[in-house]
């Protein structure tokens, strides 16, 4: 009995208080020392690249689909204009985060000089628009009862894992550096159909985004491109849903123009023609896939504008 009482005393007066103090300390330490180095590196390098350019004619906006899939330097060659890729992973985790990033990265003068904005957002291929989030631009949460990362994740980093840069940036135009990234072979397992934004949300969300872009780049023509992937592995490609989304988008863009706003143009990316153009999954292209998409995008821009 004396041993049991001693054990209980140890648990209640030493071990449990130690765990509580350790956990609280770990939460504060995790918040203070949090860094999402791969995404933060992307943000820093893109801001440095913007500052190094005297002027910019075209801007590429979006998330990882545009970061992997559209090349600013290739558009430079095709169009004889200066393009900058300001797409970042997860599109900044929220629309407010992302557009604040754009506003803070470009001076008023540079934004006034921009003639073209290409916006490629995966929100068009989502069940609903992104909700407000407590995450910041690089994915850091506000401090709460949960740490930023698990203890196991920190231990893996301390042991030398996770050192690979997930989103290497290649050049002064913000392009993705495939020479520093290994593209795995995509899985051959058939995937479910893609989702597409419903009509009600599409009619509400799209004008808000167009207004945000127009306010940031008042002299630019806006090109909305609906991204695509490699669809031959889909159980049901869901072409009807995509077709309906494009029809509604055309109406929304015409209404935007009819109320005195600058013209906005719609481009629907074709599916990638081969899995050999993909990088690790059936959504993000490899370097050859990026060239294929960028060339298609340029041809459509040239034909429409």
């Amino acid at each position: 009995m004396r041993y049991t009482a001693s054990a209980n005393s140890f648990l209640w007066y030493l071990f449990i208080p130690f765990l509580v103090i350790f956990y609280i300390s770990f939460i504060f330490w995790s918040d203070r020392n949090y860094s999402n180095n791969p995404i933060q590196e992307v943000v820093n390098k893109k801001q440095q690249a913007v500052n190094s350019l005297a002027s910019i004619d075209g801007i590429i906006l979006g998330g990882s689909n545009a970061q992997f899939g559209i090349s600013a330097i290739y558009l430079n060659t095709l169009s004889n204009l200066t393009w900058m890729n300001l797409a970042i992973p997860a599109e900044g985790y929220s629309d407010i985060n992302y557009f604040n990033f754009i506003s803070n990265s470009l001076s008023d003068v540079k934004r006034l000089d921009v003639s073209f904005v290409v916006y490629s957002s995966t929100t068009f291929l989502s069940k609903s628009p992104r909700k407000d989030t407590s995450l910041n631009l690089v994915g850091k949460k506000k401090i709460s009862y949960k740490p930023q990362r698990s203890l196991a994740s920190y231990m893996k980093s301390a042991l030398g894992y996770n050192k690979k840069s997930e989103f290497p940036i290649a050049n002064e135009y913000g392009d993705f550096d495939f020479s520093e990234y290994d593209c795995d072979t995509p899985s051959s397992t058939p995937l479910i159909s893609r989702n597409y934004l419903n009509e009600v949300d599409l009619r509400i969300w799209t004008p808000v985004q167009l207004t945000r872009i127009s306010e940031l780049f008042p002299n630019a023509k806006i090109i909305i491109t609906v991204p695509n992937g490699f669809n031959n592995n889909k159980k049901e490609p869901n072409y009807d849903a995509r077709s309906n989304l494009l029809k509604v988008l055309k109406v929304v863009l015409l209404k935007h123009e009819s109320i005195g706003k600058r013209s906005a143009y719609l481009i629907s990316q074709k599916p990638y023609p081969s899995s050999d153009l993909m990088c690790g999954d059936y959504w993000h292209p490899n370097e050859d896939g990026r060239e294929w998409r960028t060339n298609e995008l340029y041809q459509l821009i040239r034909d429409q504008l």
Side-chain angles (χ1 to χ4, degrees), residues 34 36 38-40 42-43 46 61-68 85-99 101 119-123 126 129-131 133 135-140 166-167 176 205 209 283-284:
Y34 176 85
N36 191 338
I39 296 181
Q40 188 65 60
V42 169
V43 170
K46 297 217 173 191
L61 304 180
S64 59
N65 84 88
Q67 187 184 1
F68 276 73
N85 190 326
L86 271 183
I88 63 173
E91 211 173 315
Y93 291 94
S94 77
D95 293 336
I96 293 175
N97 285 346
Y98 186 53
F99 283 100
F101 158 72
Y119 183 44
S120 179
S121 177
T122 55
T123 299
S126 305
R130 298 190 296 177
K131 298 179 181 179
T133 177
L135 299 178
N136 68 7
L137 186 70
V138 299
K140 182 181 179 181
E166 295 181 23
F167 307 104
F176 190 86
W205 177 80
Q209 298 302 91
W283 182 245
H284 299 99

Side-chain angles (χ1 to χ4, degrees), residues 61-82:
L61 304 180
S64 59
N65 84 88
Q67 187 184 1
F68 276 73
I70 304 176
S71 170
I73 199 167
Y74 191 38
L75 282 174
N76 293 350
T77 302
L78 293 171
S79 65
N80 290 320
L81 300 173
T82 300

Side-chain angles (χ1 to χ4, degrees), residues 51-269:
N51 291 330
S52 70
L53 297 175
S55 63
I56 301 170
D57 300 304
I59 292 282
I60 300 159
L61 304 180
S64 59
N65 84 88
Q67 187 184 1
F68 276 73
I70 304 176
S71 170
I73 199 167
Y74 191 38
L75 282 174
N76 293 350
T77 302
L78 293 171
S79 65
N80 290 320
L81 300 173
T82 300
W83 287 79
M84 174 69 202
N85 190 326
L86 271 183
I88 63 173
E91 211 173 315
Y93 291 94
S94 77
D95 293 336
I96 293 175
N97 285 346
Y98 186 53
F99 283 100
N100 283 340
F101 158 72
I102 297 166
S103 177
N104 294 333
S105 299
L106 288 158
S107 67
D108 292 344
V109 173
K110 284 187 177 179
R111 286 192 275 112
L112 288 172
D113 286 342
V114 172
S115 300
F116 299 96
V117 174
V118 171
Y119 183 44
S120 179
S121 177
T122 55
T123 299
F124 293 116
L125 284 77
S126 305
K127 289 184 178 180
S128 60
R130 298 190 296 177
K131 298 179 181 179
D132 292 337
T133 177
S134 62
L135 299 178
N136 68 7
L137 186 70
V138 299
K140 182 181 179 181
K141 300 177 289 188
K142 291 182 178 179
I143 191 168
S144 70
Y145 65 92
K146 292 182 179 180
Q148 296 290 338
R149 293 166 53 192
S150 68
L151 181 60
S153 176
Y154 282 108
M155 292 176 67
K156 286 178 66 177
S157 295
L159 292 172
Y161 295 94
N162 304 327
K163 285 189 174 180
K164 172 185 172 183
S165 177
E166 295 181 23
F167 307 104
I169 304 301
N171 55 47
E172 66 273 28
Y173 303 103
D175 281 347
F176 190 86
D177 186 1
F178 283 102
S179 68
E180 297 293 329
Y181 191 86
D182 295 327
C183 283
D184 299 325
T185 302
S187 169
S188 59
T189 304
L191 302 178
I192 60 174
S193 310
R194 297 196 193 283
N195 294 306
Y196 289 93
L197 198 60
N198 66 76
E199 182 172 341
V200 173
D201 286 331
L202 186 64
R203 290 180 180 274
I204 296 172
W205 177 80
T206 306
V208 172
Q209 298 302 91
L210 289 171
T211 298
R212 285 170 168 160
I213 296 172
S214 297
E215 289 175 349
L216 286 170
F217 305 101
N219 298 322
K221 295 179 179 179
I222 303 171
I223 300 147
I224 302 293
T225 174
V226 180
N228 216 326
F230 176 72
N231 295 332
N232 289 13
N233 66 322
K234 296 293 178 185
K235 293 179 180 178
E236 295 178 6
N238 210 6
Y239 294 130
D240 289 344
R242 185 179 181 91
S243 176
N244 183 65
L245 177 132
L246 295 173
K247 288 179 182 177
V248 175
L249 262 179
K250 288 178 182 178
V251 173
V252 172
L253 297 187
L254 285 172
K255 184 176 180 181
H256 175 80
E257 186 176 355
S258 70
I259 59 176
K261 304 289 186 179
R262 287 189 65 85
S263 298
Y265 302 85
L266 176 62
I267 290 176
S268 176
Q269 180 198 340

